[in-house]
């Protein structure tokens, strides 16, 4: 009996796919989350109200296209508040900052507008609460990520960063130490759960958040990618290389059986990935604008992938209010921006 797999419908004898076999499934949800829309809207609104330049500490969100477009409008991105002229308008990025950064900005009399995602701000508040309770804070995340740097800065003397299950065993703490855990909001839910379970097994006096710190949008996008991985030969995630949530989506797709790659934009597509691939799942990280997804879909269409369908997924209707000084009168909501994404 032959063990050779049946050929993919539409595949020629030489293994070349006929275009009739090629299709794309677009994940739903994908792209901008509420926190990213709010952060971008804050920079655009600040430019409208104050004029250029408006300074932004770090990238407002981790996406090269967003940063480039805001730079065209007059935003100036800097690595430190020390680079901002005294008294100038300075926006803090969606990833949040430490109290030390806020103190430095105050010393320079900067006109600060805080674009920290409300979900990240919630983690900051929890860190302060646990520090007041004199607990050691075990912060699950990547030590070099801006969000982790900001949260750790709330209580640096009481905070230890934990990245893996192996790190839990290496913590120089007694098993009955009073500890609390928090997590970076953009992690993989499955991997974070394993680390938290390791903490629970080791420490007898452990407290943590009710539910999960992981952002609803990160979780929804990871769930959508799991579905893509089950039904497609290849998963492509649009997102920048420094986008934690986009990288996690690629990892999740691979863990669930699909080949997967991060694609910063259509120009980064490697056509060798498409060899003998009939079904492609496409998604995008929470900081990736829809225009980049459109560009990738157009590039794939030029290669014969013209059959496009939108997968079912979790609807999102979360909207975060603007800071009062920037809010649209009578609504308080984020104004529609030039970078807001639209459905394909």
């Amino acid at each position: 009996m032959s063990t050779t797999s049946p050929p993919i419908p539409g595949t020629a004898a030489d293994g070349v796919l006929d275009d009739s076999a090629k299709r794309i499934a677009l994940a739903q949800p994908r792209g901008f989350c509420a926190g990213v829309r709010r952060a971008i809207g804050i920079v655009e609104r600040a430019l409208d109200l104050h004029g250029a330049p408006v300074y932004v500490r770090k990238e407002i969100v981790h996406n090269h296209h967003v940063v480039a477009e805001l730079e065209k409008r007059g935003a100036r991105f800097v690595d430190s508040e020390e680079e901002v002229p005294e008294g100038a308008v300075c926006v803090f990025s969606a990833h949040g900052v430490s109290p030390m950064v806020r103190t430095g900005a105050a010393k320079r009399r900067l006109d600060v507008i805080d674009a920290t995602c409300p979900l990240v701000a919630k983690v900051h508040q929890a860190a302060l609460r646990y520090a007041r309770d004199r607990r050691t804070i075990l912060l699950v995340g990547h030590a070099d990520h801006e969000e982790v740097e900001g949260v750790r800065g709330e209580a640096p003397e009481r905070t230890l960063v934990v990245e893996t299950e192996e790190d839990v065993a290496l913590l120089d703490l007694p098993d009955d130490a009073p500890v609390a855990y928090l997590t970076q909001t953009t992690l993989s839910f499955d991997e974070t759960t394993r680390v938290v379970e390791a903490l629970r097994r080791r420490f007898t006096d452990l407290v943590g958040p009710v539910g999960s710190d992981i952002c609803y949008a990160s979780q929804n996008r990871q769930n959508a990618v799991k579905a893509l991985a089950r039904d497609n030969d290849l998963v492509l995630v649009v997102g920048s290389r420094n986008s934690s949530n986009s990288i996690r989506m690629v990892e999740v797709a691979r863990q669930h059986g699909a080949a997967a790659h991060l694609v910063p934009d259509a120009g980064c597509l490697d056509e060798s990935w498409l060899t003998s691939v009939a079904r492609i799942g496409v998604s995008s990280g929470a900081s990736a604008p829809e225009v980049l997804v459109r560009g990738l879909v157009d590039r794939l269409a030029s290669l014969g992938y013209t059959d496009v369908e939108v997968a079912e997924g979790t609807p999102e209707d979360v909207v975060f209010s603007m800071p009062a000084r920037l809010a649209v009168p009578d609504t308080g909501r984020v104004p529609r921006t030039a970078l807001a994404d639209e459905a394909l």
Side-chain angles (χ1 to χ4, degrees):
M1 173 187 270
S2 172
T3 58
T4 304
S5 300
I8 299 171
T11 305
D14 59 3
V16 177
L17 288 175
D18 185 271
D19 286 353
S20 64
K22 298 177 179 179
R23 69 171 179 82
I24 297 171
L26 284 174
Q28 184 67 17
R30 63 182 183 276
F32 284 171
C33 64
V36 165
R37 283 196 181 91
R38 175 180 181 269
I40 295 171
I42 283 173
V43 177
E44 293 194 326
R45 185 78 168 149
L47 286 164
D48 289 342
L49 294 176
H50 298 282
V54 163
Y55 291 85
V56 184
R57 186 184 182 278
K58 305 291 188 180
E59 293 186 354
I60 186 65
V61 297
H62 285 158
N63 186 269
H64 67 282
H65 176 85
V66 169
V67 169
E69 289 300 310
L70 291 174
E71 283 180 329
K72 291 177 185 177
R73 289 201 53 189
R76 298 290 180 267
F77 293 88
V78 297
D79 286 329
S80 168
E81 65 283 358
E82 297 296 323
E83 300 175 51
V84 181
E86 290 197 13
V89 175
C90 179
V91 179
F92 290 158
S93 80
H95 307 105
V97 300
S98 69
M100 185 173 66
V101 170
R102 296 183 186 277
T103 299
K107 287 180 179 178
R108 297 184 65 77
R109 301 188 301 278
L110 302 183
D111 184 2
V112 170
I113 305 174
D114 192 354
T116 301
C117 173
L119 299 180
V120 175
K122 180 181 175 183
V123 180
H124 279 253
Q125 292 304 310
L128 287 171
R129 185 170 66 254
Y130 291 140
R132 286 195 296 266
D133 292 342
R134 304 187 64 79
R135 290 183 176 272
T136 297
I137 300 166
L138 305 177
L139 180 55
V140 181
H142 302 293
D144 59 350
H145 193 276
E146 290 162 35
E147 180 184 329
V148 170
E149 291 174 357
V151 174
R152 181 174 51 193
E154 297 290 355
E157 72 289 348
R158 304 194 70 87
T159 304
L160 300 173
V161 177
V162 179
E163 295 198 22
T164 66
E165 294 174 79
E166 290 73 24
D167 289 342
V168 175
L170 297 175
L171 289 169
D172 187 17
L173 293 169
D175 293 350
D176 61 352
V179 296
Y181 76 87
L182 294 167
T183 74
Q184 182 181 332
T185 62
T186 55
L187 299 176
S188 159
F189 180 82
D190 294 337
E191 290 189 5
T192 302
T193 297
R194 289 194 288 270
V195 176
V196 172
E197 287 302 320
L199 292 172
R200 287 176 174 153
R201 287 192 299 270
R202 175 170 173 187
F203 293 103
T204 58
D205 187 6
L206 174 72
V207 298
V210 177
S212 170
D213 285 333
I214 295 177
C215 163
Y216 77 94
S218 293
Q219 185 58 61
N220 287 346
R221 281 151 187 73
Q222 289 173 28
N223 289 342
V225 159
K226 290 178 185 178
L228 289 183
R230 287 193 299 268
D231 299 333
N232 294 278
D233 309 310
L234 171 68
V235 173
L236 301 177
V237 177
V238 178
S240 289
R241 293 188 175 93
N242 62 340
S243 168
S244 176
N245 78 88
S246 301
I247 293 169
R248 300 292 85 73
M249 290 167 67
V250 173
E251 293 172 350
V252 166
R254 290 173 178 169
Q255 289 163 2
H256 285 77
H261 298 282
L262 186 70
V263 186
D265 55 50
C268 297
L269 177 69
D270 185 338
E271 293 184 18
S272 69
W273 299 339
L274 310 181
T275 303
S276 299
V277 169
R279 303 179 304 274
I280 301 176
V282 173
S283 189
S284 55
S287 52
E290 188 70 7
V291 64
L292 297 183
V293 177
R294 293 182 183 184
L296 178 60
V297 170
D298 289 346
R299 172 83 185 278
L300 291 170
S302 72
L303 299 170
Y305 295 87
T306 57
D307 183 1
V308 181
E309 63 181 31
V310 178
E312 293 185 2
T314 304
E316 292 180 349
D317 56 4
V318 177
V319 176
F320 291 139
S321 296
M322 295 284 275
R325 62 184 284 189
L326 301 180
V328 176
D330 302 324
T331 68
R333 294 199 169 194
V334 180
R336 188 157 186 82
T337 70
L339 289 172
D341 55 329
E342 300 173 357
L344 273 175

